[in-house]
Amino acid sequence: MSKIRFATVWLAGCSGCHMSFLDLDEWLLELAEKVDVVYSPVGCDLKTYPENVDVCLVEGAIANQDNLELIHLVRQNTKTVVSFGDCAVTANVPAMRNMLGTADPVLKRAYLELGDNTPQLPEEPGIVPELLDQVLPVHQVIPIDIFMPGCPPDADRIRETLIPILKGELPVMAGREMIKF
Ligand code: SF4
């Protein structure tokens, strides 16, 4: 039987959800028997999101043009997309800058007010991905199949969500005792 093509992506998030994924410890060995990791910031160095992915965990919100391009690629090439953690589900911490209205105050603060030596805004295209004026939860950009809240979702919650997904079934929403903040 062919293995499930499994991916994880890291958008605007702190990587804490991926750290929680690594907390699955020895269950990762069981997972490895069932899946091929075809794209992930942990354990796979592929630069382009591949075709025909079965399951993808998406950590982080949509905060810049790179996030936007990648999430559309993810949706086009993935059967089951999981909004993984509160930054993906609600935009969470990255969206705290939304109250400023646009990206300009963020860039000015980071590059001019806090810049040392010769402060200047990034001018050359491509050096810094262009920020969106508003940070968005993933489901406001693409349809999502499954939501896994938590900041981060702990390892038990990740495992209990993945077990049915890997069998092609929908996970039952776990009780709130499994959501840790
Ligand atoms: Fe980090 Fe929490 Fe966002 Fe996950 S949900 S990326 S742990 S801030």
Side-chain angles (χ1 to χ4, degrees):
M1 199 170 92
S2 62
K3 285 186 166 183
I4 292 160
R5 288 169 60 77
F6 182 80
T8 74
V9 300
W10 178 17
L11 305 178
C14 73
S15 84
C17 291
H18 273 86
M19 293 302 107
S20 197
F21 179 78
L22 294 179
D23 280 344
L24 285 163
D25 296 332
E26 68 271 16
W27 192 76
L28 289 172
L29 299 176
E30 280 184 46
L31 183 65
E33 288 173 4
K34 297 185 175 75
V35 306
D36 276 331
V37 179
V38 292
Y39 186 92
S40 176
V42 287
C44 183
D45 198 26
L46 203 61
K47 302 295 181 220
T48 308
Y49 194 81
E51 296 180 342
N52 300 318
V53 176
D54 293 305
V55 178
C56 179
L57 303 182
V58 177
E59 174 194 312
I62 310 295
N64 62 40
Q65 285 295 339
D66 281 8
N67 298 156
L68 205 52
E69 285 169 25
L70 178 53
I71 201 62
H72 283 299
L73 268 180
V74 167
R75 184 64 279 180
Q76 285 159 17
N77 293 288
T78 312
K79 283 191 203 121
T80 303
V81 178
V82 181
S83 190
F84 176 38
D86 281 352
C87 289
V89 173
T90 70
N92 200 24
V93 178
M96 290 173 75
R97 72 170 170 85
N98 286 358
M99 68 181 82
L100 300 174
T102 68
D104 284 349
V106 181
L107 291 168
K108 283 183 182 147
R109 179 74 177 148
Y111 286 93
L112 300 182
E113 294 168 27
L114 300 178
D116 48 13
N117 299 326
T118 52
Q120 61 177 37
L121 290 172
E123 286 172 358
E124 205 173 318
I127 288 188
V128 177
E130 187 184 340
L131 295 185
L132 305 182
D133 281 336
Q134 295 283 293
V135 181
L136 302 169
V138 179
H139 67 273
Q140 284 191 11
V141 180
I142 59 159
I144 288 294
D145 301 299
I146 290 160
F147 292 87
M148 193 196 316
C151 182
D154 70 11
D156 288 344
R157 184 171 181 76
I158 297 170
R159 188 184 58 245
E160 294 311 309
T161 305
L162 282 179
I163 286 172
I165 292 175
L166 297 177
K167 291 185 202 158
E169 300 168 2
L170 279 178
V172 176
M173 187 66 176
R176 48 191 300 190
E177 71 280 357
M178 292 189 77
I179 302 178
K180 304 284 195 309
F181 293 93

